[in-house]
Amino acid sequence: MAVLSLDHPWAFAFGILGNIISFMVYLAPLPTFYRVYRKKSTEGFQSVPYVVALFSSMLWIYYAFLNTSVSLLITINSFGCVIETIYIVMYIIYAPKKAKIFTVKILFLLNVVIFGLILLLTLFLSEGPRRVRILGWVCVAFSVSVFVAPLSVIRLVIRTKSVEFMPFFLSFFLTLSAVAWFFYGLLSKDKYVALPNILGFTFGVAQMVLYLIYRNKKPAVIEVCKDPELGLAIGKISATEKGAEVHPIDSKSPSSSDEESSEQGEQSNNDRAIISGNGGVESTGNVEV
């Protein structure tokens, strides 16, 4: 790392910046898990984003060990592995039985079976630069698939004409993260780090533009269906002069449904943070490769 900082000072600077921004993004779900701990319930939150973020971090750590020119990926993704593991353990402790079983299954499939196969195939069927290339393209493919996730948020904003589930500053910092990791990859001459973050930057800018367009718009009427097995109400959001209101269809009170709608929005935002960073978080292998 000392050699990197001397030979490529700008790459080192962008790597440090990417680490700092991604570190903050990884901590975005802390309020959610504090509430989970306090209420002893996951309240219908999903575990998939945290499992995917852990898998992304593991991939980028492996890649960084093979390609030492991007060693700054190791620091942020190591932190990502630790914090995502904590999130997942807490989720398993407090989730309903059905959600626990699903989480354990997907954790085993993605982080044990698939990662194990990638590890074994790259170690025994390739070597040297070829191994780095193969793993690099695997990381790029996974990161691109993760970066497509914001499309659902963009679609929701356009349909509802509301930016409730797309806070500006989260989009802003995820875009900054993509910019930092792009220049780190570019200046380090590593296309596998740089390429996915072009997509991350593009989606980040698109989200901020949508925020500016719809920030003062009245929300459109939209039906919101939630899974009753996870303890969530079924209701609809309608436009009023004062903004969006949630009208429950089940026996829960309007205030209860409003609170759940707000918590769903927070979880949606956390999911975006988790999966967005080359650290492994929109990655949660850099917190955005």
Side-chain angles (χ1 to χ4, degrees):
M1 188 177 297
V3 174
L4 174 65
S5 62
L6 291 176
D7 294 345
H8 306 283
W10 282 108
F12 181 77
F14 277 108
I16 293 296
L17 179 62
N19 269 257
I20 294 171
I21 299 172
S22 298
F23 176 83
M24 293 187 292
V25 173
Y26 270 123
L27 296 180
L30 278 180
T32 294
F33 279 91
Y34 176 72
R35 186 168 67 249
V36 167
Y37 169 76
R38 186 164 47 86
K39 294 187 176 182
K40 312 299 181 187
S41 170
T42 55
E43 303 177 311
F45 291 163
Q46 297 181 4
S47 61
V48 174
Y50 309 98
V51 176
V52 171
L54 177 61
F55 178 70
S56 177
S57 293
M58 292 165 62
L59 270 182
W60 284 108
I61 288 176
Y62 179 34
Y63 175 77
F65 273 117
L66 294 181
N67 184 5
T68 55
S69 66
V70 289
S71 56
L72 284 178
L73 291 181
I74 296 175
T75 53
I76 187 58
N77 286 290
S78 296
F79 175 75
C81 283
V82 173
I83 195 69
E84 297 302 336
T85 299
I86 294 173
Y87 292 154
I88 293 169
V89 169
M90 285 189 65
Y91 185 92
I92 293 174
I93 291 173
Y94 295 113
K97 183 178 179 180
K98 183 178 178 181
K100 285 181 181 179
I101 294 173
F102 175 77
T103 301
V104 171
K105 284 181 178 179
I106 192 172
L107 182 67
F108 179 78
L109 176 65
L110 195 61
N111 298 77
V112 177
V113 176
I114 295 181
F115 182 79
L117 284 174
I118 292 173
L119 189 67
L120 291 175
L121 291 175
T122 52
L123 285 177
F124 293 105
L125 298 182
S126 59
E127 59 183 17
R130 186 167 181 265
R131 179 185 298 162
V132 174
R133 285 197 303 272
I134 293 173
L135 183 59
W137 284 116
V138 169
C139 291
V140 169
F142 180 76
S143 297
V144 167
S145 67
V146 165
F147 276 125
V148 173
L151 287 175
S152 62
V153 178
I154 292 174
R155 179 171 173 266
L156 181 63
V157 170
I158 295 174
R159 284 179 58 215
T160 62
K161 302 186 187 304
S162 170
V163 292
E164 178 185 0
F165 296 155
M166 193 182 70
F168 178 81
F169 284 106
L170 178 56
S171 299
F172 177 72
F173 280 109
L174 289 175
T175 304
L176 280 184
S177 175
V179 170
W181 289 115
F182 167 75
F183 280 107
Y184 176 69
L186 182 68
L187 296 171
S188 299
K189 295 181 173 60
D190 192 308
K191 60 185 177 184
Y192 308 113
V193 175
L195 286 176
N197 287 289
I198 297 175
L199 192 60
F201 171 77
T202 302
F203 281 133
V205 171
Q207 290 175 67
M208 289 189 289
V209 169
L210 282 177
Y211 182 90
L212 295 176
I213 293 173
Y214 290 111
R215 60 177 178 171
N216 295 321
K217 298 282 187 180
K218 291 182 179 179
V221 177
I222 177 172
E223 295 290 331
V224 177
C225 296
K226 306 177 186 178
D227 188 352
E229 293 184 4
L230 296 177
L232 295 177
I234 300 176
K236 64 181 180 179
I237 299 176
S238 62
T240 67
E241 292 182 359
K242 295 181 180 178
E245 293 181 354
V246 176
H247 303 283
I249 296 175
D250 61 8
S251 59
K252 294 191 177 183
S253 65
S255 60
S256 173
S257 297
D258 288 341
E259 181 180 352
E260 288 173 350
S261 178
S262 175
E263 289 175 353
Q264 185 194 31
E266 179 180 343
Q267 175 63 7
S268 175
N269 298 333
N270 285 339
D271 291 353
R272 291 173 57 224
I274 297 159
I275 309 293
S276 293
N278 265 8
V281 199
E282 203 183 340
S283 167
T284 219
N286 298 347
V287 151
E288 237 176 13
V289 166

